Amino acid sequence: MYKEERTNDTIAAVATPPGTGGVAIVRVSGPEAEAVLNRSFRRGGGASGPWESHRLSFGKILRGQEIVDEGMAVLMRAPKSYTREDVAELYCHGGTAVTRMVLEAVLLAGARPAAPGEFTRRAFENGRIDLAQAEAVMRLVGAQGEAQARAARRQLEGAVSHGIVEVRQKLTEMLSQIAACTDFPDEIDEAPAAANLIAQGRALCAQLRAACDPSRARVLETGLDVVLVGRPNVGKSSLLNALLGEERAIVTADAGTTRDAVRGTLEIAGVRVNLTDTAGIRQTGSEAERIGVQRAKEAAERADLVLAVLDASRPLEADDEEILRQARQVRCVVVLNKCDLPRAQGMPQGMAVSARTGEGTDALRALLEETARSAQSGSALLTQARHIDAAQRAAGALEEMVAAIEKGVPLDFAAVDATAALRALGEITGEDAEQSVIDAVFAHFCVGK
Ligand code: GDP
């Protein structure tokens, strides 16, 4: 963990956004936080003496001798605070001038202005969070939608960090196996040890590559895309509605009415599932239908899962065959709808459901759940460019290690590659990050965070 030149002066900044608001917060962190508070805040009711930690007090805010506002203040004693230092917060009226005066009050009382991201940087330097978690703070602050916010929160909770720490532990074990082989060549048989290292190297490499998989990252960010394809009138819209449990798509008995894509969203196993019902895939002369068919093909190409819907009560048509042929090229499940009606001859294998009676829709839901779960399981999932870059370099180093061992290169050379992989991963959590990398991460922060 990065710990050199730990600063321990007392810093202060406005934590709320610039402009006018109901309340503004001025934050102070460092060993002098309580002293700064005592000089800039007069508690009501004549209270004095040491502050009780984590308890809000009402009082007057003083810039020197001048009362600039009245408000609340709290002291959060180390280590139970954002930075793991003593932290004081003053809540004042949220006007631009007032807020500036309150900031001046704490600066006059002994704090110095904080640099961008300095509070979070202290949380990192004091070991409360690692570098990936510090980045998550920024992502959470900047998140535009719920999915992004959720992904950032997971990263803040340590989802990325834990995965990386786990892989680093395995790499450290591999390095000690290599060291054992090279230190005690007479006692350890190198051939099985080498085979073992190759297997472990390959497994870790696959794990890292999977963690960088953009489609898995996208599932977490925006949800699992499930597309229903099929000829007009096989019951796609009805099935979509049955899954959503509401009348989302328009259902009619005329072939080719669902010309545009109809969408609906479900949340299954904590993952957002975006269902899209496309216009029927059919060779057609109608312009609107042709566009719809084109969209269906495109949507199916991008989908995480395609449900190829057939009308099980009617014999397969050429269009059905074409749909099945196309669907086989992607991740696809064949759904035999209208199983409440007598089944036609020559149906392929598939999941029998009835959008009308609801039969089989539970099984279909279970399938979606399984897909959603498998999309988020496995190792840490990386979504930030800096992390993906480091993990790819680590995977590359492991590939070189495996290739070198396979060529029969002495094992101590393999240690060089394994160490490179270990270092690359250490950049993600900050355990092995250059000062410049750390500086770059915090450079994107705003003042007060
Ligand atoms: P789409 O064109 O594939 O979206 O098909 P629709 O959902 O519009 O359904 C076409 C027709 O089939 C409608 O008349 C539905 O009521 C009927 N339908 C849909 N699902 C079923 C089902 O499971 N059983 C039966 N008997 N009819 C169904």
Side-chain angles (χ1 to χ4, degrees):
M1 179 62 55
Y2 165 84
K3 272 205 184 79
E4 29 169 334
E5 49 161 311
R6 184 189 281 184
T7 43
N8 63 351
D9 54 352
T10 298
I11 54 171
V14 180
T16 36
T20 319
V23 177
I25 301 173
V26 172
R27 190 183 250 177
V28 181
S29 179
E32 291 292 302
E34 186 170 8
V36 167
L37 201 51
N38 281 330
R39 288 181 211 120
S40 59
F41 192 85
R42 190 190 299 146
R43 281 172 279 180
S48 61
W51 283 64
E52 190 184 330
S53 189
H54 293 83
R55 191 187 173 112
L56 216 51
S57 300
F58 178 74
K60 297 206 166 22
I61 301 168
L62 300 164
R63 181 174 64 179
Q65 299 302 316
E66 181 196 1
I67 294 171
V68 290
D69 197 5
E70 59 177 24
M72 313 280 270
V74 65
L75 179 74
M76 290 164 273
R77 284 189 202 283
K80 286 187 169 178
S81 71
Y82 185 67
T83 56
R84 276 207 176 152
E85 302 174 327
D86 280 355
V87 169
E89 282 179 2
L90 291 96
Y91 306 82
C92 62
H93 289 100
T96 317
V98 181
T99 310
R100 198 183 56 237
M101 286 152 92
V102 174
L103 177 63
E104 281 170 11
V106 297
L107 297 180
L108 201 64
R112 72 146 167 92
E118 199 169 1
F119 292 95
T120 308
R121 185 168 191 146
R122 287 188 175 195
F124 163 65
E125 286 172 0
N126 293 327
R128 198 177 76 81
I129 54 174
D130 66 23
L131 201 56
Q133 288 171 307
E135 284 170 308
V137 171
M138 263 324 274
R139 290 184 80 196
L140 193 53
V141 171
Q144 295 290 333
E146 283 191 26
Q148 279 179 7
R150 265 198 293 270
R153 202 201 61 227
R154 268 192 293 268
Q155 186 176 330
L156 184 57
E157 283 167 354
V160 168
S161 313
H162 294 156
I164 296 300
V165 166
E166 213 175 277
V167 177
R168 275 175 57 95
Q169 266 163 6
K170 288 188 190 149
L171 278 170
T172 312
E173 278 163 30
M174 284 168 66
L175 278 166
S176 55
Q177 287 169 28
I178 295 174
C181 285
T182 48
D183 292 351
F184 309 101
D186 302 334
E187 289 162 43
I188 295 171
D189 194 354
E190 199 170 309
N196 205 359
L197 287 168
I198 289 172
Q200 288 174 345
R202 284 217 179 103
L204 285 187
C205 185
Q207 197 177 333
L208 287 171
R209 296 269 190 229
C212 296
D213 180 350
S215 68
R216 288 179 65 222
R218 190 181 45 70
V219 168
L220 278 192
E221 294 272 337
T222 60
L224 189 78
D225 284 330
V226 179
V227 172
L228 289 86
V229 298
R231 242 179 348 97
N233 253 8
V234 293
K236 297 179 300 299
S237 317
S238 309
L239 204 54
L240 180 100
N241 287 334
L243 288 169
L244 292 174
E246 57 188 288
E247 288 292 310
R248 185 69 59 104
I250 330 123
V251 183
T252 70
D254 300 325
T257 42
T258 318
R259 294 236 160 104
D260 232 327
V262 180
R263 299 177 64 95
T265 302
L266 283 169
E267 183 149 329
I268 300 182
V271 173
R272 223 164 77 153
V273 178
N274 308 309
L275 286 167
T276 310
D277 165 29
T278 60
I281 291 185
R282 197 174 59 158
Q283 319 293 329
T284 170
S286 145
E287 181 67 7
E289 266 197 16
R290 212 177 48 70
I291 293 168
V293 168
Q294 186 54 35
R295 281 197 195 148
K297 282 188 185 169
E298 287 167 9
E301 277 161 19
R302 285 194 310 268
D304 298 300
L305 177 68
V306 170
L307 301 179
V309 187
L310 301 176
D311 180 342
S313 68
R314 288 160 163 269
L316 287 187
E317 293 182 13
D319 287 344
D320 292 317
E321 308 273 11
E322 170 63 15
I323 287 159
L324 287 174
R325 203 182 56 74
Q326 281 186 14
R328 285 212 180 90
Q329 295 163 19
V330 292
R331 209 173 155 213
C332 158
V333 170
V334 176
V335 178
L336 306 173
N337 190 34
K338 310 198 188 182
C339 73
D340 53 303
L341 303 174
R343 182 174 297 200
Q345 295 275 308
M347 279 292 131
Q349 290 284 342
M351 294 185 75
V353 304
S354 166
R356 176 157 295 172
T357 65
E359 193 184 332
T361 51
D362 280 350
L364 198 50
R365 251 182 248 276
L367 170 85
L368 294 179
E369 177 166 344
E370 189 194 304
T371 314
R373 278 191 200 285
S374 73
Q376 54 179 333
S377 69
S379 59
L381 188 54
L382 304 175
T383 53
Q384 291 199 245
R386 190 182 77 80
H387 302 170
I388 291 173
D389 171 64
Q392 299 280 29
R393 275 186 282 122
L398 281 171
E399 269 157 14
E400 280 176 20
M401 183 199 81
V402 168
I405 301 176
E406 281 175 337
K407 263 196 252 151
V409 169
L411 282 183
D412 33 351
F413 284 99
V416 175
D417 292 319
T419 307
L422 192 66
R423 289 241 167 86
L425 294 178
E427 285 178 27
I428 297 177
T429 50
E431 277 164 290
D432 229 329
E434 303 268 332
Q435 191 63 42
S436 58
V437 171
I438 295 169
D439 288 343
V441 165
F442 287 101
H444 298 299
F445 273 67
C446 43
V447 176
K449 192 66 234 170

